[in-house]
Amino acid sequence: MTEALKLTDLSKTFAVGRSLFGRAKGSVKAVHPVSLTVRKGETLGIVGESGCGKSTLARMLVGLLEPTTGSIEIEGEALDNADPAVFGKRIQYVFQDPISSLNPRKTIRQVMEAPLKRLHGMPAPERARRIAEIFDSVNLREEFLDRYPHEFSGGQAQRIGIARALAANARILILDEPVSALDVSVQAQILNLLADLRRAFDLTYLFISHDLAVVEAVSDRIVVLYFGSVVEVGPAEQVFANPRHPYTRLLADSAPVVGRPLTAPEAKGTELPDPLNPPPGCAFAARCPRASDRCRAETPALGPVGGETEVACFHPLGGDTG
């Protein structure tokens, strides 16, 4: 297995409030120490409720946020330089809202030229040739280059966002809800385009989404995050068909399915833990029907439960680790 990306104990803590003397009054752990390996050429899906740490993790991977602890390695090389350009040549971000992610005062040509100038120092003729190649790969006409972002539909703007990421020549793309703002028919076009580009350019994807059906369809493996921690990792075809963590089961049961009545999977009034005052032990214990006294006192570590699946649970579904 060739490693495209390796995270070791990567975490992020934010200071909350300031005293008169500038000291932090408290802190919030947005991402607890995460250790993951992403294989070259795979699509790793990342799912979880709002506020679980998905986007914070993604922003650390592209250098937009500095980790509190841990390290990032891309193809065996540690990225300990905070300069975004160091990250930009290796890993790029495709944003959720394609229109707002483009500078409204710049033409698409200027948007596309920026990474070629700043990251690679390409002269004008080479930039023009490279941009033409990339636009062709995402099925856009070159005449679009002299237009402004507001002149495009959401699907066209997202293709431009993908093209901008490809312009940097990075081999890892962070796709943060890349189709959630698009119509269903356009979503299918973008997902098919991403699949074609992955094969054509030998890309590796980290696909972040709340749409479980989309994640399951496009991913090779899936990571489930809860309250800033990884609670389950496994092959896409197994994670939702045979979930091992109770939270993963909750996510699967919460997804709307044609022909199934819409019923709440949890009791009314169920709340997420307080990030300023996190509970001891497993953060999911208060919502888990299988929780024991041990769950409320100890934090379970991520460990294998059969096959390629790992789960952070003392009482996983379909078995028990003790």
Side-chain angles (χ1 to χ4, degrees):
M1 177 191 70
T2 303
E3 294 179 355
L5 182 66
K6 184 178 181 181
L7 317 181
T8 304
D9 295 330
L10 198 69
S11 72
K12 183 63 181 179
T13 300
F14 292 101
V16 179
R18 294 286 177 180
S19 68
L20 182 63
F21 300 101
R23 295 177 181 175
K25 293 182 178 179
S27 63
V28 170
K29 277 196 171 183
V31 176
H32 295 261
V34 172
S35 295
L36 283 174
T37 298
V38 185
R39 304 159 186 161
K40 185 177 180 180
E42 83 167 334
T43 297
L44 182 71
I46 302 177
V47 300
E49 293 170 300
S50 297
C52 71
K54 303 187 300 293
S55 293
T56 301
L57 177 62
R59 285 176 169 81
M60 286 192 287
L61 296 181
V62 294
L64 294 177
L65 284 176
E66 185 176 354
T68 303
T69 66
S71 62
I72 302 170
E73 293 181 23
I74 294 183
E75 296 179 344
E77 181 181 353
L79 295 186
D80 54 3
N81 191 326
D83 183 358
V86 174
F87 289 83
K89 292 180 181 180
R90 296 167 172 82
I91 189 166
Q92 280 288 319
Y93 205 115
V94 176
F95 295 88
Q96 176 177 359
D97 187 341
I99 299 293
S100 64
S101 70
L102 300 172
N103 190 329
R105 299 190 176 202
K106 294 185 180 294
T107 64
I108 301 307
R109 187 183 303 277
Q110 291 172 310
V111 168
M112 291 292 297
E113 284 186 330
L116 298 178
K117 285 181 179 179
R118 299 186 181 185
L119 297 179
H120 299 286
M122 281 188 185
E126 191 174 348
R127 291 199 304 269
R129 179 187 59 79
R130 176 66 176 157
I131 290 172
E133 290 176 352
I134 295 170
F135 254 47
D136 181 63
S137 69
V138 298
N139 301 320
L140 289 174
R141 300 194 300 272
E142 286 190 57
E143 64 190 69
F144 290 171
L145 289 168
D146 296 314
R147 299 181 186 178
Y148 289 86
H150 72 272
E151 299 181 65
F152 297 97
S153 66
Q156 290 172 328
Q158 192 59 287
R159 288 174 186 268
I160 293 169
I162 294 168
R164 176 179 57 183
L166 293 176
N169 206 31
R171 288 293 174 261
I172 303 173
L173 298 188
I174 307 294
L175 307 167
D176 191 356
E177 302 275 7
V179 297
S180 63
L182 307 176
D183 293 337
V184 174
S185 61
V186 180
Q187 286 184 14
Q189 295 173 16
I190 296 299
L191 292 175
N192 288 332
L193 172 65
L194 289 170
D196 293 340
L197 292 173
R198 187 178 75 153
R199 289 189 293 268
F201 294 100
D202 194 22
L203 300 174
T204 301
Y205 292 155
L206 274 74
F207 194 103
I208 299 170
S209 180
H210 67 275
D211 190 325
L212 304 187
V214 169
V215 172
E216 186 175 10
V218 304
S219 302
D220 299 301
R221 289 189 301 144
I222 292 177
V223 172
V224 182
L225 285 177
Y226 180 73
F227 204 58
S229 296
V230 176
V231 297
E232 185 164 354
V233 183
E237 66 272 13
Q238 295 180 16
V239 166
F240 292 120
N242 183 29
R244 303 303 302 274
H245 196 284
Y247 175 63
T248 310
R249 167 63 72 188
L250 174 65
L251 283 181
D253 290 346
S254 301
V257 175
V258 175
R260 186 176 73 186
L262 291 175
T263 56
E266 290 185 285
K268 187 176 180 180
T270 302
E271 296 182 358
L272 294 170
D274 181 358
L276 290 172
N277 185 27
C282 175
F284 189 64
R287 304 171 66 184
C288 181
R290 300 168 66 88
S292 64
D293 291 340
R294 182 186 182 189
C295 301
R296 298 180 182 91
E298 301 177 34
T299 301
L302 194 69
V305 290
E308 297 183 57
T309 301
E310 296 180 279
V311 64
C313 184
F314 294 126
H315 311 295
L317 301 170
D320 202 301
T321 58

